[in-house]
Amino acid sequence: MSFSVSNVDVPRSAGGVLHVPPSEGLTKWVSGDIYSIKATRHQTNGSFAFIDAIVPPGGGPIAHAHTDEDEAFFLIDGELEFLDGDRTFVAEQGSFLFIPRGSRHRFKNIGDTDVRTLFMFTPGGPEDLFVEGGDEPVPGGKPVVWDMDKVMSLADIVQRTKLQVLPE
């Protein structure tokens, strides 16, 4: 049995287990980052979405809030600067962060090496922005940080996912 999302077939066991091997998942470039989307709301009956992210130096989204979803991060490697409302702090390798729905936040790689982080939304839904609006990877290319024009070009997805864009 398999489940298809955005032309990517994800095999499921007869018992319904979703298994995404390390080198698989839908890869998109999102605002300077490289996201390997391991599970979407469509694959988890809406329960959550799970993303493995590489955040290059300077990468990360603009400040925003999720109206209907909580977000959680675990930093595998490196450090990210997080915005929490109006204050910033640095989270290092091994840190876990829980961001309740409605909280203004963003993360940014202010270092000079790539950061690897895992993050999830619960319930799932905001990942639609990545799946539908993310840039297709270009071999040998480099993802670019999105500007407000790019974000506005995704206005229909932003509105549907109830993402609140709250620039600094």
Side-chain angles (χ1 to χ4, degrees), residues 94-138:
S95 292
F96 173 80
L97 297 98
F98 173 77
I99 301 168
R101 60 195 73 193
S103 298
R104 180 177 182 246
H105 66 285
R106 62 115 175 103
F107 58 89
K108 185 175 187 179
N109 182 346
I110 57 173
D112 56 3
T113 60
D114 289 350
V115 171
R116 182 166 175 227
T117 186
L118 303 174
F119 69 97
M120 68 181 292
F121 300 109
T122 181
E127 77 281 4
D128 287 354
L129 181 66
F130 315 148
V131 171
E132 298 171 32
D135 301 321
E136 291 296 328
V138 177

Side-chain angles (χ1 to χ4, degrees), residues 26-45:
L26 177 64
T27 300
K28 293 285 189 164
W29 287 354
V30 179
S31 194
D33 303 341
I34 302 167
Y35 290 176
S36 177
I37 303 156
K38 299 296 185 177
T40 68
R41 67 186 171 96
H42 300 291
Q43 297 161 308
T44 65
N45 296 320

